[in-house]
């Protein structure tokens, strides 16, 4: 059967089970958008306000559903507007396929109108990318792109398709897509035995988990593992929800804005088992003082992460779910009563209590937790900054894939797009974006998308009229030189929301947060809540840059020491 390249793209997407795509049309993808129009009963297209919003929405769709997110953009500026979203997905291992148009093959390399070498631009921030110059390679390329995005360590893949390839007639035959198998090819029994030996010899084991646990859907296996070896567990930002917050073994985040308990236990354990985590600088801080009493056992799907930032004593390469399943089947149940008593004592002594400098944000997030507790299912996305860390610290995270945040790249502007993607992927769930006024300035145009599709996304804008995290650093480390961080433009978020056709509400400093948030959710429509907070509220505790994670400022000691 011969069909156009544009129609073939649609058929290949349907082969992959894709029924939602995000994008923005332009000259070099008009044939593809014509095919989308003709197949609108088979694939729903979500028109975002900006291509960056489409890339973040595809990412949020992927993170919340476990499926591949798809975004579409035209050539030139349309394609380059995807770059930040692709880099965000790459740093956080999120499976996204980006399809871009380009000028016809005969015009490539001639500085044609809206031509850019997008494969060259995105080479460092994608798992792989392609430009299709032979129409007979289009179907195979698209199928391979999805396979690469999903297999092993997930990540974004870009496929650049010149306009003439979209218009040409191409022979098409449907293919049944086989599920991507979990990565076990490098999993060696010798490595498993070394891991079992290290765990068996340990008296003070500690687990440090990262986003790889969630990406491999290994939360159940992880909980069984920590129970089996009788160990506490701390988390990177990306792994929040992999172990429920209420689990007594969970000590909270580790690192710069982690808990005192997590940081203390990492530096007190005799074995640190690192599971799907990459030793980010925001976790280890001063590497020479990190986990100095411990042997390091690292479990990861990507061998490039071994010995990159911290040297490990042993490692196992493979899919986290598969590794933990094997370990759980072979390990004898252990007991470390003295060690676990020590952990519980530290949790009592150093609780994650609010300081005076974060009281109001904590009150708002506590109210949000209470309101969401009545929902059957709820997802929280964030932008990047103080509000992001407060949400990580104070919200309860009890399910994997329900806390969507930009970790590796730290992308201001991520949250609203991600919330849109999560709402599209989970139409019956409640979706909240916790934003700061600085970050929300970067993507508030996506309110048009929320209004257009009548998405019941609730956005909390933590409004301190400044770039809060940068101001916090200026306050603590730069002699209070508040250079260009005060946002004193007379911007009214309620009026702006109303202008887009979205409900705007105010939450003033003395208002009852729970009452107002409850009324916002009861509307069951898109809502922006302008949440007034003090300008100098801080994210605490905190490790100063370059300091040991033992040296935290701003924590509360119940014994007053």
């Amino acid at each position: 059967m011969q069909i156009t390249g544009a129609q073939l793209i649609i058929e290949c997407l349907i082969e992959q089970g894709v029924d939602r795509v995000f994008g923005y049309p332009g000259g070099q993808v008009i044939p593809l958008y014509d095919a989308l129009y003709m197949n609108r009963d088979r694939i729903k297209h979500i028109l975002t306000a900006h291509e960056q919003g489409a890339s973040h929405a595809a990412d949020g769709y992927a993170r919340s559903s476990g499926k591949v997110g798809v975004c579409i953009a035209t050539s030139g500026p349309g394609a380059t507007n995807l770059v930040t979203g692709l880099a965000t997905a790459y740093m956080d291992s999120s499976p996204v396929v980006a399809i871009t148009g380009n000028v016809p093959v005969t015009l490539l390399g001639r500085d044609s109108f809206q031509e850019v070498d997008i494969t060259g631009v995105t080479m460092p921030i994608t798992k792989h990318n392609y430009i299709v110059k032979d129409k007979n390679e289009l179907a195979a390329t698209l199928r391979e792109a999805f396979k690469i995005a999903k297999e092993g360590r997930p990540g974004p893949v870009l496929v650049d398709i010149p306009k003439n390839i979209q218009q040409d007639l191409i022979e098409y035959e449907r293919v049944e897509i086989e599920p991507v198998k979990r990565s076990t090819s490098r999993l060696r029994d010798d490595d498993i035995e070394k891991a079992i030996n290290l765990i068996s010899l340990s008296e003070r084991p500690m687990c440090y988990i990262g986003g790889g646990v969630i990406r491999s859907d290994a939360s159940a296996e992880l909980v069984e593992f920590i129970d089996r070896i009788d160990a506490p567990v701390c988390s990177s930002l990306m792994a929040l929800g992999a172990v429920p917050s209420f689990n007594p073994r969970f000590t909270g985040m580790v690192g710069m804005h982690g808990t005192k308990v997590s940081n203390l236990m990492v530096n007190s354990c005799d074995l640190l088992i690192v599971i799907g985590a990459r030793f980010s600088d925001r976790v280890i801080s001063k590497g020479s003082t990190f986990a100095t009493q411990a042997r390091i056992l690292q479990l990861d799907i990507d061998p490039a992460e071994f010995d990159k930032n911290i040297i490990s004593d042993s490692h196992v390469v493979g899919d986290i779910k598969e590794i933990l399943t094997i370990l759980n089947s072979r390990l004898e149940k252990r007991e470390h009563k003295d060690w676990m008593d020590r952990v519980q004592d530290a949790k009592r002594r150093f609780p994650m209590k609010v300081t005076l400098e974060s009281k109001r944000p904590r009150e708002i997030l506590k109210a949000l937790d209470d309101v969401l507790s009545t929902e059957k299912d709820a997802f929280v996305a964030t932008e990047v900054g103080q509000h992001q860390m407060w949400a990580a610290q104070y919200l309860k995270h009890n399910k994997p894939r329900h806390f969507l945040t930009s970790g590796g790249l730290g992308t201001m502007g991520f949250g609203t797009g991600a919330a849109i993607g999560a709402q599209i992927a989970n139409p019956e769930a409640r979706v909240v974006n916790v934003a700061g006024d600085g970050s929300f300035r970067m993507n508030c145009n996506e309110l048009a998308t929320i209004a257009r599709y009548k998405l019941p996304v609730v956005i909390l804008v933590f409004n301190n009229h400044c770039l809060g995290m940068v101001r916090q650093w200026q306050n603590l480390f730069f002699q209070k030189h508040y250079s260009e961080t005060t946002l004193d433009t007379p911007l009214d978020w309620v009026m702006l929301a109303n202008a887009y056709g979205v409900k705007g509400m105010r939450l003033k400093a003395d208002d009852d947060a729970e009452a107002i948030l409850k009324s916002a959710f009861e509307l069951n429509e898109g809502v922006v809540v302008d949440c007034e907070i003090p300008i100098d509220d801080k994210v605490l505790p905190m490790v100063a840059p370059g300091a040991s994670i033992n040296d935290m400022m701003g924590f509360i000691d119940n014994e007053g020491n």
Side-chain angles (χ1 to χ4, degrees):
M1 175 176 67
Q2 283 201 331
I3 56 177
T4 66
Q7 181 64 38
L8 186 146
I9 295 169
I10 300 296
E11 297 301 332
C12 285
L13 292 177
I14 290 170
E15 283 179 1
Q16 299 289 338
V18 174
D19 60 3
R20 297 287 188 276
V21 297
F22 305 86
Y24 202 93
Q28 304 305 335
V29 286
I30 291 177
L32 176 53
Y33 271 81
D34 190 59
L36 283 166
Y37 178 85
M38 298 298 291
N39 290 275
R40 59 192 182 277
D41 59 332
R42 303 169 75 197
I43 291 184
K44 182 177 178 64
H45 178 274
I46 307 299
L47 177 68
T48 55
H50 190 281
E51 291 91 351
Q52 184 175 336
S55 63
H56 292 323
D59 190 351
Y61 181 96
R63 295 189 198 212
S64 65
S65 68
K67 302 176 183 178
V68 176
V70 179
C71 56
I72 300 172
T74 191
S75 63
T80 58
N81 282 342
L82 297 178
V83 167
T84 299
L86 291 175
T88 302
Y90 183 71
M91 289 291 282
D92 290 344
S93 304
S94 186
V96 171
V97 169
I99 297 172
T100 54
N102 213 328
V103 300
V105 171
T106 55
L107 296 180
L108 288 171
R110 301 190 180 201
D111 293 332
S112 302
F113 177 66
Q114 288 194 334
E115 179 196 0
V116 75
D117 178 13
I118 193 61
T119 56
V121 170
T122 60
M123 186 176 295
I125 56 167
T126 53
K127 277 188 75 177
H128 199 66
N129 61 26
Y130 305 85
I131 179 168
V132 181
K133 296 181 181 180
D134 181 344
K135 67 180 184 180
N136 296 312
E137 296 178 356
L138 179 57
T141 300
L142 287 167
R143 290 164 184 153
E144 190 172 78
F146 275 85
K147 182 179 179 182
I148 290 173
K150 291 184 286 187
E151 71 180 356
R153 181 177 183 171
V157 178
L158 180 137
V159 184
D160 193 36
I161 307 173
K163 190 173 186 178
N164 66 294
I165 302 294
Q166 300 171 46
Q167 295 172 312
D168 287 348
L169 289 175
I170 305 172
E171 192 67 32
Y172 168 74
E173 183 176 345
R174 180 178 173 83
V175 171
E176 291 297 324
I177 304 300
E178 295 182 2
V180 173
K181 295 181 180 179
R182 294 187 176 275
S183 178
T184 58
S185 60
R186 299 186 184 185
L187 189 55
R188 298 173 51 205
D189 197 64
D190 284 353
D191 293 336
I192 291 288
E193 287 302 318
K194 289 177 184 177
I196 290 172
N197 185 56
L198 281 174
I199 294 168
S200 299
L201 293 174
S202 171
E203 295 298 329
R204 303 188 309 278
M206 175 84 179
C207 293
Y208 154 43
I209 62 172
V213 174
I214 292 176
R215 295 291 178 267
S216 71
D217 296 317
S219 292
E221 290 77 9
L222 173 65
V223 172
E224 180 183 346
F225 178 71
I226 59 178
D227 285 342
R228 181 168 292 276
I229 68 170
D230 196 22
V233 56
C234 64
S235 165
S236 73
L237 176 70
M238 297 308 300
L240 290 173
V243 174
S245 295
F246 58 78
N247 189 308
R249 299 187 182 279
F250 185 60
T251 62
M253 279 201 307
V254 62
M256 177 175 283
H257 292 297
T259 66
K260 181 71 173 178
V261 181
S262 291
N263 290 2
L264 275 177
M265 295 303 105
V266 163
N267 281 331
S268 302
C269 66
D270 65 3
L271 176 65
L272 185 64
I273 307 170
V274 184
I275 308 174
R278 60 183 181 84
F279 288 116
S280 161
D281 58 295
R282 288 298 173 100
V283 168
I284 65 174
S285 194
K286 188 177 181 179
S288 62
T289 64
F290 182 81
T292 54
Q293 298 185 44
R295 290 187 174 188
I296 307 293
L297 169 61
Q298 190 169 2
L299 318 178
D300 206 285
I301 199 167
D302 186 356
E305 293 299 339
F306 299 140
D307 302 333
K308 185 172 76 174
N309 296 324
I310 294 290
I311 303 299
S312 62
D313 293 272
S314 187
H315 52 252
V316 182
V317 59
D319 180 86
I320 295 299
K321 191 182 187 78
E322 294 294 320
I323 295 172
L324 291 178
T325 298
I326 293 171
L327 290 175
N328 287 335
S329 69
R330 296 194 193 180
L331 279 165
E332 294 183 2
K333 191 167 179 60
R334 305 275 294 168
E335 184 177 348
H336 303 105
K337 185 178 185 306
D338 290 346
W339 173 235
M340 288 305 301
D341 285 347
R342 185 172 166 184
V343 171
Q344 296 306 322
D345 183 65
K347 290 175 75 171
R348 177 195 59 77
R349 180 173 174 181
F350 305 113
M352 195 61 195
K353 285 186 177 178
V354 64
T355 66
L356 291 177
E357 293 175 296
S358 57
K359 183 179 179 182
R360 185 55 175 169
R362 169 66 176 87
E363 289 173 349
I364 296 170
L365 291 168
K366 173 65 168 60
L368 176 61
D369 245 348
D370 290 343
V371 172
L372 292 181
S373 68
T374 64
E375 299 288 340
K376 291 182 179 179
D377 200 17
F379 293 79
V380 175
T382 80
E383 306 293 347
V384 168
Q386 288 180 311
H387 60 278
Q388 175 192 31
M389 292 297 105
W390 285 322
Q393 291 175 331
Y394 295 131
L395 290 177
K396 294 182 179 69
H397 306 283
N398 295 327
K399 293 182 181 179
R401 298 191 180 278
H402 282 60
F403 184 65
L404 314 175
T405 195
S406 171
L409 198 64
T411 305
M412 295 173 69
F414 168 79
T416 302
I420 289 169
Q423 189 72 78
I424 295 294
N426 305 274
E428 301 304 316
R430 295 311 306 255
V431 178
V432 184
N433 179 32
V434 178
D437 55 326
S439 286
F440 194 51
R441 286 169 174 246
M442 296 190 176
N443 64 6
C444 60
N445 55 345
E446 294 303 337
L447 289 172
T449 310
I450 290 172
R452 178 186 180 94
Y453 296 100
K454 297 180 172 57
L455 302 176
V457 173
V458 175
I459 300 174
L460 308 186
V461 181
F462 279 51
N463 190 357
N464 54 8
H465 305 283
C466 70
L467 300 178
M469 188 63 87
V470 184
R471 181 182 174 93
Q472 177 170 327
W473 280 51
Q474 289 171 334
N475 180 290
L476 295 174
F477 311 119
F478 290 88
Q479 296 79 50
K480 300 184 180 180
H481 297 163
Y482 300 126
S483 177
E484 302 303 323
T485 50
T486 302
L487 305 178
D488 50 7
T489 306
L491 194 163
D492 189 319
W493 292 114
V494 172
M495 291 181 67
L496 180 72
N498 291 340
Y500 275 104
V502 174
K503 177 70 174 178
M505 302 177 69
R506 299 190 198 281
L507 177 55
K508 295 181 181 178
D510 296 327
D511 286 343
D512 182 336
E514 185 170 351
I516 289 178
L517 294 184
K518 186 176 180 181
S519 64
F521 279 92
E522 286 174 347
L523 292 172
N524 202 32
E525 61 181 81
V527 182
V528 172
V529 185
D530 182 357
C531 306
E532 181 183 338
I533 65 170
I535 192 169
D536 277 319
D537 274 10
K538 294 180 177 62
V539 178
L540 296 171
M542 179 182 182
V543 176
S548 166
I549 62 168
N550 269 348
D551 301 327
M552 300 193 79
M553 60 179 74
F555 64 89
I556 293 174
D557 184 343
N558 270 348
E559 294 186 5
N561 298 326

